[in-house]
Amino acid sequence: MNHHRIAATPPMGWNSWDCYGASVTEEEVLGNARYMAERLKPYGWEYVVVDIQWYEPGANSSQYRPYVPLEMDEYSRLIPATNRFPSAAGGKGFKPLADQIHGMGLKFGIHIMRGIPRQAVHANTPILGTDRRARDIAQNNICPWNTDMYGVNADKDGAQAYYDSLFRLYAEWEVDFVKVDDIAASRLYHIHDREITMIRTAIDRCGRDMVLSLSPGPAPLEFNEMFVRNANMWRMTDDYWDLWQLLRDMFERCEKWYPHVGPGHWPDCDMLPLGHIGIRSVDGGASDRWTRFTKEEQVTMMTLWTIFRSPLMFGGELRDNDEWTLSLLSNEEVLAVHRESTGNKPLYREGDHIVWTASGPSGELYVALFNTGDELAIIRTSWEQLGLQEPKQARDLWERKDLGTVSELAYALPPHSSMLVKLN
């Protein structure tokens, strides 16, 4: 499928939601972009994504203000709020911001909600490219947690033209990544597969490559072929936060979805709630904070996302990173596993003892060992389980330390901790 060439490896970047909710500003976006360009770009981090409600002038947290006026053009399309994104003044949209981010050698992304703005429907404004108007294509399958949009009825004349006009606008802005929300697993209406296919068509017609990311989850597994056919990423989970139970639950989700991981199509474990988060976001059960994950849990999360090959979207304020947090994002040996490994799969799960494996491009074998229990435990795997016969040289990739010649793996791991070992 043609769109799979766009994200041949799992996308890596920063998203504004975990730290700023709906309220991020142009200055904050550019500040995080500069950090990424200076500190993370050499390791493959490249997407800078403005999350929800960039069109809401009064957004001040992750709590949405219902039924407020939004910034919109004459063709029923939402545009950036200029008090928050000053470079968008004069009808320029996100093009000037995208230009700055592209100038740093990075890529620019935005979040949108599925559907057409309520205020467009109430005013019955025109749709570009058709004689139909907003009210002609709207349907009342409204997102239960955000009041901005009506759904789009795929059976109506003008529905595809509306989505085509949206993505032509985003192409003019030179957007590289679009996260579409309330579409993969709506709480009230299940999956909006017909809107997904309209969006795929609109991207294909717009003349610009864009990564398509679908939220929220849990995406229904029985629609896996539809997701692969239309998207580059789709969420396996509802909003994920810095709580151990949510991380523990992710192992089961990865066990279900791993057969559908592949170049250009990536089941998504959601953002990495690391570093300084909750600055203007009250989601996740706590406000302004550093991640509540212990260091062991942070490594376990990064190891699972790596061995599963989930997209990596950092959620914290990058400019506040300490050396520990930066080290999680800049370990080139671990990131090589994320970028280059194949055949990623669970080897076994026995209670709290979990082992995953993957192959490297030059014959290496990667083994991820997890202790998800609350007590110290020896996590082991035999050469027979791994399909090996000869002893191998082992290396601990997180510690960047050689472990010598081994003929089995057996390591005492503290609670909630992990190891990522390379064998060659």
Side-chain angles (χ1 to χ4, degrees):
M1 295 175 191
N2 193 44
H3 65 278
H4 289 166
R5 65 183 169 74
I6 301 169
T9 59
M12 300 168 56
W14 173 83
N15 179 292
S16 60
W17 173 256
D18 283 2
C19 47
Y20 294 113
S23 71
V24 73
T25 66
E26 183 168 354
E27 177 190 9
E28 289 159 343
V29 173
L30 287 171
N32 280 274
R34 292 185 190 102
Y35 180 100
M36 184 182 292
E38 294 168 4
R39 309 290 294 275
L40 296 176
K41 180 184 167 187
Y43 301 98
W45 299 85
E46 59 179 345
Y47 290 97
V48 176
V49 182
V50 178
D51 211 87
I52 194 167
Q53 283 199 328
W54 36 266
Y55 41 78
E56 211 278 69
N60 55 28
S61 76
S62 59
Q63 291 184 327
Y64 309 114
R65 304 189 312 143
Y67 310 109
V68 297
L70 308 174
E71 295 290 331
M72 190 178 78
D73 73 4
E74 68 270 32
Y75 293 114
S76 310
R77 302 176 298 187
L78 296 170
I79 56 176
T82 55
N83 64 319
R84 294 169 50 199
F85 298 92
S87 69
K92 296 184 181 69
F94 271 132
K95 179 66 163 60
L97 178 55
D99 285 346
Q100 292 191 70
I101 289 171
H102 291 151
M104 301 178 200
L106 303 174
K107 296 179 179 178
F108 177 63
I110 60 173
H111 171 292
I112 66 171
M113 297 292 293
R114 69 168 176 90
I116 188 164
R118 281 192 184 204
Q119 69 187 48
V121 175
H122 296 163
N124 205 23
T125 46
I127 297 170
L128 186 65
T130 178
D131 60 359
R132 302 297 178 175
R133 302 177 83 87
R135 204 170 296 165
D136 296 322
I137 68 169
Q139 62 180 358
N140 193 21
N141 55 0
I142 297 168
C143 174
W145 44 265
N146 178 280
T147 64
D148 296 343
M149 316 293 274
Y150 282 107
V152 168
N153 187 336
D155 291 326
K156 297 295 186 179
D157 289 342
Q160 186 64 57
Y162 167 70
Y163 274 120
D164 288 351
S165 74
L166 271 190
F167 283 88
R168 278 201 302 271
L169 179 64
Y170 303 155
E172 292 169 8
W173 292 348
E174 298 190 4
V175 171
D176 305 296
F177 181 110
V178 180
K179 173 184 174 183
V180 186
D181 215 335
D182 192 45
I183 199 165
S186 171
R187 291 178 188 170
L188 293 182
Y189 304 103
H190 197 46
I191 186 173
H192 294 276
D193 53 314
R194 298 189 71 191
E195 286 195 71
I196 291 172
T197 58
M198 285 194 290
I199 289 168
R200 174 76 265 150
T201 297
I203 295 175
D204 291 344
R205 290 176 175 175
C206 79
R208 184 174 179 82
D209 289 342
M210 297 181 194
V211 171
L212 176 58
S213 168
L214 303 177
S215 286
L221 186 61
E222 64 269 23
F223 281 84
N224 66 83
E225 292 182 2
M226 192 277 301
F227 289 123
V228 170
R229 192 166 58 248
N230 290 284
N232 300 106
M233 301 165 45
W234 55 92
R235 284 257 298 278
M236 307 185 304
T237 175
D238 202 347
D239 283 5
Y240 171 81
W241 286 102
D242 48 332
L243 298 167
W244 170 247
Q245 188 59 50
L246 297 181
L247 175 50
R248 184 182 174 121
D249 290 347
M250 198 65 72
F251 284 88
E252 182 178 353
R253 300 182 190 278
C254 293
E255 289 161 10
K256 291 177 179 178
W257 276 103
Y258 82 88
H260 309 290
V261 171
H265 52 93
W266 310 104
D268 180 12
C269 295
D270 200 13
M271 286 177 280
L272 298 163
L274 293 171
H276 188 191
I277 60 177
I279 296 169
R280 291 197 301 276
S281 177
V282 296
D283 278 36
S287 56
D288 194 348
R289 66 188 184 279
W290 280 75
T291 184
R292 291 170 293 192
F293 283 136
T294 66
K295 287 187 175 181
E296 290 80 8
E297 291 165 351
Q298 292 174 55
V299 172
T300 291
M301 178 174 63
M302 290 296 296
T303 302
L304 179 60
W305 268 234
T306 295
I307 200 70
F308 177 74
R309 300 192 79 196
S310 172
L312 301 180
M313 288 288 165
F314 187 83
E317 168 52 74
L318 286 169
R319 294 170 293 180
D320 293 342
N321 279 355
D322 56 13
E323 286 304 310
W324 163 259
T325 306
L326 176 60
S327 75
L328 295 174
L329 310 181
S330 57
N331 184 317
E332 66 273 11
E333 297 183 66
V334 172
L335 291 172
V337 181
H338 182 257
R339 182 176 61 253
E340 300 171 358
S341 61
T342 57
N344 309 64
K345 62 185 178 181
L347 182 67
Y348 76 80
R349 182 173 188 169
E350 296 177 359
D352 298 321
H353 301 196
I354 302 172
V355 177
W356 279 64
T357 63
S359 299
S362 302
E364 310 93 330
L365 182 67
Y366 300 115
V367 184
L369 310 167
F370 300 95
N371 174 16
T372 62
D374 297 328
E375 304 291 339
L376 180 76
I378 296 176
I379 311 299
R380 66 175 69 244
T381 182
S382 69
W383 257 216
E384 182 180 9
Q385 288 173 305
L386 293 171
L388 300 175
Q389 295 180 340
E390 302 296 327
K392 298 287 184 179
Q393 294 294 315
R395 181 169 174 82
D396 184 328
L397 298 187
W398 281 113
E399 295 293 330
R400 304 173 188 252
K401 181 174 67 176
D402 291 329
L403 302 174
T405 303
V406 297
S407 54
E408 73 164 353
L409 298 179
Y411 297 101
L413 299 184
H416 304 184
S417 71
S418 62
M419 284 181 70
L420 184 56
V421 178
K422 179 173 76 171
L423 299 174
N424 58 11

